[in-house]
Amino acid sequence: MRGLARYRLLAWLALVVSGSSAAEELPESPVVAVEPRVGSLQGGSVHGLEEFRFRAYQSDARLADFPDEAVFDYQEAVQRFSVSGGSSLLTAGVQVDAVALFSNQYVLDGALTEERVLWGEGLSGPHPNWWFGVEKFWLQGRGQTLSWTVGDSYAAFGRGLALNVVKNTDIDVDTSLRGVHATVAAGDWEVSLVEAVANPQQVRLENPNVGMRADRPHAVHGVRVDRYGRVHVGAHAAAYQFVRALDGVQSPLAAYAGDVDAGVVGATIEASGVGPFDLGAEFDWIGYGADDIGVENGYAGYVSASAYPGVASVLVEGKLYRDTEWLNQFASLDGYEVSTGPSLEYERAITEDSSAALNSNDVIGGRVRSDFALGKGGHVVTPYVSAAVLRDGDLGGVHFNTTPETIVHGVGGIIAVIGEFHVLANGGWRMDMRDDAPAANAGDTTAHADVALTIPLPHHLSIEIAPGVLRYHWGQNEVQQADYTDISSTAALKIGVPWAVLVYADFSDNPLITSTGNVSENVYMAGEVQWQPTSATTVKLFYGAYRAGIRCAGGQCRSLPGFEGARASFTSNF
Amino acid sequence: MLCLRSVALSALAVVSFTLTTLAASGAANAGAATDFTLRDLTGTQHRLSQYKGNVVLVNFWATWCGPCQVEMPHLEAMHKELGARGLVVLGISTDDAKLDAMVKPLVKSKGLTYTILRDPQTTVVSQFNPAKTLPFNVLVDKLGQIAKVHAGYNPGDEVALKAEVLELLGR
């Protein structure tokens, strides 16, 4: 094992050099000796982000022949460096990702073996425990009428039902579209074109990197026309050619050799000030041309109306989605989606069961939410109430039910800002009532509550307390599971701006999650120190454990692994 | 399997890396703000460069971001107090397309009167704030140069932010 230190050192040096050398190339701030005036921004611009993570994984698992050795412990370093720069008219950028595993090799019967495979299918690299690559690159031009990007960009049409590939770093998803994305804006008219292939990230910043593989470069073709004004109308079309398998290194143009698998045409309308209302609507029709998708067509409709009587803001939404999720069938294999419309779900309380409704191929429903703004200036209290009713007829995918179900979900909460005293609180109750349930109260129920409380103290100190609890009770079900409780709590002492000390405590007896606690089987504890040496730089040191679980953001859900060990992270915007 | 030597190397590398990047970021925390064009809630286009001659506070936020909503009243107060002296606040909603309907009701409920822009394709936030840390503030001086970047919100941050704005307005 000691002989492997050489490789580790090489990997570390590569990580460090790739970050520091790029940073050293940053130019000095330009000195602009002109009087202020309206016009183009002058001088070169540089924006960048350095993110570095080091994770030391600990495991209680042991081999029978080595009961005293923590043979499954290992370390992982991840670096992501993004920099873009240019003039007011032209910008170029690049993102370089690197990952290295340490203590990941052992010699068994004279043969050197990796405990876990870092990269494989379709990727190549100098060492099995180290990988780096240019994850994204782009050249952008910005004129008065035409703006364009060659390389990696993001795209969304309408409400995202036809195409919605954007950054979703909350769940560690950053798939971009690599190709050409151009927008022509003239007066009230705007036309956007997308011709690209999907470029999912290989390296995960916040989660373990194991079994990385090459992209499935699905081809995405899209066009969108908008006419802005008091009534904003738009129409779009998108087409997809999906790559099925990963056989060796894929040509980035592999998808173009196949037939069009899915096509979407849709239209949107938004009208402001129609009486007391702001109105919006979208309808999309989807045609599927592939035998392995299983259906021939689908459709999606979405409407919204908002009004602002007195201190209230009222929003009513409705949706009707039928066979729309098939669009994501192939992209979801790589952990992202190309189409995510409004879900009308409260994503902080999504469970393994309710995530199926969020991704349903047969769902109709509505939600009403009203916020009430009380107070003004630095003292504002905003309570809100929300209620959603959904009818989920899909029985496939990850659904636990064998008959359609009706879902009722009420949520209420408050956001209070009273000087530097802040409270954010949410609570709700949800019932999923299956048609075959023997009684109205025999459905699955979820009760949830979360609070974030900030209390200012003298001498630039403040305390933040953020407990959250979710109780899930399975109703009478053929696929009977165990009831469970999830608790997540954070307590933080902030010392001025630069320092914070945090304690995390989690509990979960959910039998569906894969992690175990470090205090007991269901209890997880951790501590963290945060340091902000500058307003744009954060350093965090974490030790302990947190639990696995499903997490949803931006209409996408992922089952994320737990963690036990030590973690250091460094993030700096510049 | 745990190798003390590799751990020592790791620690050394982390320290050297951190210091190197800190130094680099400190040196580069300036330069012209990359120009962008986004539409507001009425569909009107706004280009960052059209505000040259003003101090511009670009605030990235989202409807689901609690700290963002805590920060908003402070930004509104700053906008009302210092708008006449040349401060322009541009609140950029980073909510993706599916949350579009949530934006205007939140703006109304908060009583925000500063300009709210939409970035549903995450184009602009990807340039200024690739990690999508929220809230995230970029302070641009009268010449269009980035004067300060703030990631996140802690109680009292608004005091420091206002002091920086006043300094830029006074230049």
Side-chain angles (χ1 to χ4, degrees):
Chain A
M1 292 300 296
R2 290 182 181 176
L4 296 175
R6 181 166 57 95
Y7 293 110
R8 295 179 184 131
L9 179 60
L10 285 173
W12 267 115
L13 287 173
L15 281 168
V16 172
V17 168
S18 66
S20 59
S21 62
E24 286 165 4
E25 291 170 4
L26 299 170
E28 292 292 321
S29 309
V31 177
V32 184
V34 295
E35 289 298 314
R37 61 179 177 79
V38 176
S40 62
L41 303 174
Q42 299 190 19
S45 62
V46 174
H47 301 293
L49 174 69
E50 168 56 41
E51 294 173 284
F52 180 77
R53 306 287 186 266
F54 180 79
R55 293 185 282 267
Y57 297 90
Q58 292 181 339
S59 173
D60 295 331
R62 298 287 186 272
L63 290 176
D65 293 339
F66 305 96
D68 299 325
E69 292 190 45
V71 294
F72 294 108
D73 289 2
Y74 73 108
Q75 301 87 45
E76 177 185 32
V78 183
Q79 180 184 318
R80 174 165 295 163
F81 182 78
S82 308
V83 63
S84 64
S87 68
S88 61
L89 297 177
L90 198 64
T91 305
V94 65
Q95 176 184 318
V96 178
D97 286 359
V99 57
L101 301 184
F102 309 95
S103 304
N104 189 43
Q105 293 178 308
Y106 61 91
V107 176
L108 184 64
D109 298 331
L112 186 62
T113 307
E114 270 72 42
E115 176 65 37
R116 51 194 69 74
V117 176
L118 176 63
W119 52 264
E121 277 184 298
L123 296 180
S124 59
H127 190 273
N129 285 322
W130 172 42
W131 188 88
F132 93 99
V134 177
E135 176 55 49
K136 301 188 194 306
F137 58 85
W138 61 92
L139 184 65
Q140 289 181 338
R142 287 176 294 276
Q144 289 293 336
T145 303
L146 172 68
S147 58
W148 52 268
T149 302
V150 175
D152 288 284
S153 66
Y154 306 94
F157 289 168
R159 302 299 174 100
L161 288 157
L163 172 64
N164 195 9
V165 178
V166 297
K167 256 183 189 290
N168 197 347
T169 48
D170 292 317
I171 51 172
D172 217 354
V173 170
D174 191 2
T175 297
S176 55
L177 296 174
R178 178 169 291 175
V180 177
H181 186 178
T183 301
V184 177
D188 293 335
W189 290 87
E190 188 172 294
V191 179
S192 296
L193 294 164
V194 177
E195 183 56 56
V197 295
N199 176 29
Q201 65 186 10
Q202 259 67 49
V203 175
R204 308 215 177 277
L205 190 66
E206 309 294 354
N207 293 286
N209 287 286
V210 179
M212 295 157 46
R213 61 188 180 192
D215 300 338
R216 290 174 222 262
H218 309 305
V220 180
H221 327 271
V223 59
R224 164 97 183 163
V225 180
D226 286 281
R227 187 187 185 283
Y228 290 91
R230 188 160 168 269
V231 178
H232 167 202
V233 293
H236 52 247
Y240 296 92
Q241 292 169 284
F242 297 113
V243 175
R244 267 58 171 185
L246 269 177
D247 298 323
V249 178
Q250 287 283 326
S251 160
L253 302 179
Y256 287 88
D259 296 328
V260 172
D261 294 306
V264 188
V265 292
T268 60
I269 182 168
E270 291 174 43
S272 299
V274 182
F277 300 106
D278 292 334
L279 305 174
E282 172 165 347
F283 183 81
D284 293 271
W285 184 89
I286 309 165
Y288 297 105
D291 295 336
D292 53 355
I293 289 184
V295 297
E296 292 185 353
N297 54 62
Y299 53 87
Y302 168 82
V303 294
S304 67
S306 55
Y308 317 99
V311 297
S313 295
V314 183
L315 172 64
V316 181
E317 297 172 279
K319 71 172 185 177
L320 168 60
Y321 300 164
R322 185 69 186 265
D323 289 322
T324 54
E325 280 295 315
W326 298 106
L327 271 177
N328 296 313
Q329 178 176 341
F330 299 101
S332 62
L333 297 174
D334 293 324
Y336 69 97
E337 299 183 352
V338 296
S339 157
T340 51
S343 68
L344 313 191
E345 296 274 10
Y346 182 70
E347 292 185 345
R348 290 182 67 168
I350 289 292
T351 63
E352 285 79 359
D353 182 41
S354 54
S355 70
L358 190 144
N359 293 305
S360 173
N361 263 311
D362 183 4
V363 63
I364 181 173
R367 179 176 66 180
V368 59
R369 171 173 170 146
S370 186
D371 294 60
F372 306 90
L374 309 173
K376 58 184 179 180
H379 299 76
V380 180
V381 178
T382 312
Y384 77 90
V385 291
S386 168
V389 178
L390 303 164
R391 173 74 178 169
D392 181 11
D394 192 354
L395 307 178
V398 293
H399 283 79
F400 289 89
N401 44 303
T402 54
T403 62
E405 62 184 358
T406 300
I407 299 160
V408 179
H409 194 173
V411 182
I414 190 170
I415 298 173
V417 180
I418 303 168
E420 293 188 354
F421 177 85
H422 312 145
V423 180
L424 293 84
N426 306 280
W429 183 84
R430 172 186 176 122
M431 175 170 269
D432 295 27
M433 296 171 284
R434 291 177 306 282
D435 286 359
D436 66 347
N441 61 354
D444 310 324
T445 55
T446 308
H448 58 89
D450 58 86
V451 178
L453 177 67
T454 301
I455 305 168
L457 299 173
H459 308 295
H460 301 291
L461 299 175
S462 65
I463 292 176
E464 287 185 18
I465 302 168
V469 61
L470 182 149
R471 172 67 183 170
Y472 188 85
H473 171 71
W474 287 93
Q476 296 175 16
N477 193 336
E478 288 183 8
V479 194
Q480 193 68 42
Q481 307 282 338
D483 300 346
Y484 63 85
T485 301
D486 287 342
I487 300 173
S488 297
S489 299
T490 305
L493 173 64
K494 297 200 169 183
I495 307 164
V497 172
W499 290 96
V501 180
L502 298 91
V503 176
Y504 301 97
D506 289 355
F507 170 90
S508 179
D509 56 0
N510 182 351
L512 297 177
I513 68 170
T514 54
S515 61
T516 54
N518 57 341
V519 176
S520 67
E521 183 180 356
N522 297 327
V523 178
Y524 306 71
M525 292 285 292
E528 185 173 74
V529 175
Q530 296 181 359
W531 176 45
Q532 273 195 297
T534 72
S535 59
T537 300
T538 304
V539 179
K540 298 179 182 177
L541 298 174
F542 172 100
Y543 181 76
Y546 59 79
R547 64 182 173 83
I550 194 164
R551 186 167 180 199
C552 302
Q556 303 182 50
C557 297
R558 290 187 63 190
S559 185
L560 298 176
F563 175 80
E564 181 176 355
R567 190 177 64 183
S569 68
F570 170 82
T571 303
S572 183
N573 286 277
F574 60 87
Chain B
M1 189 179 287
L2 186 64
C3 175
L4 290 177
R5 188 175 171 185
S6 76
V7 171
L9 280 171
S10 303
L12 181 64
V14 168
V15 171
S16 63
F17 178 85
T18 302
L19 293 176
T20 303
T21 313
L22 268 176
S25 63
N29 196 8
T34 301
D35 203 5
F36 61 80
T37 302
L38 290 174
R39 292 186 185 271
D40 65 19
L41 301 181
T42 67
T44 305
Q45 281 192 322
H46 294 253
R47 194 170 180 124
L48 177 62
S49 54
Q50 80 186 65
Y51 296 108
K52 192 173 179 187
N54 295 94
V55 173
V56 183
L57 175 59
V58 182
N59 168 250
F60 293 94
W61 64 279
T63 55
W64 45 264
C65 165
C68 300
Q69 297 184 43
V70 170
E71 185 184 40
M72 281 172 166
H74 301 300
L75 300 183
E76 175 65 18
M78 217 181 298
H79 162 68
K80 284 182 172 167
E81 181 184 346
L82 302 175
R85 293 179 57 184
L87 173 67
V88 173
V89 180
L90 299 177
I92 299 181
S93 161
T94 62
D95 292 286
D96 77 325
K98 80 183 187 74
L99 295 174
D100 202 49
M102 305 280 288
V103 176
K104 193 169 179 181
L106 188 143
V107 170
K108 289 279 190 180
S109 73
K110 299 290 178 197
L112 304 182
T113 58
Y114 55 83
T115 303
I116 300 295
L117 306 176
R118 291 283 288 117
D119 185 21
Q121 303 193 89
T122 61
T123 304
V124 176
V125 70
S126 298
Q127 285 186 338
F128 285 86
N129 174 22
K132 279 189 76 178
T133 306
L134 295 177
F136 190 85
N137 290 305
V138 180
L139 196 53
V140 181
D141 71 12
K142 294 175 180 176
L143 298 177
Q145 307 289 302
I146 293 178
K148 203 77 176 181
V149 172
H150 286 271
Y153 173 76
N154 292 311
D157 280 1
E158 70 277 6
V159 177
L161 188 61
K162 184 177 177 182
E164 290 159 6
V165 169
L166 285 170
E167 184 188 346
L168 292 176
L169 288 171
R171 279 183 188 172

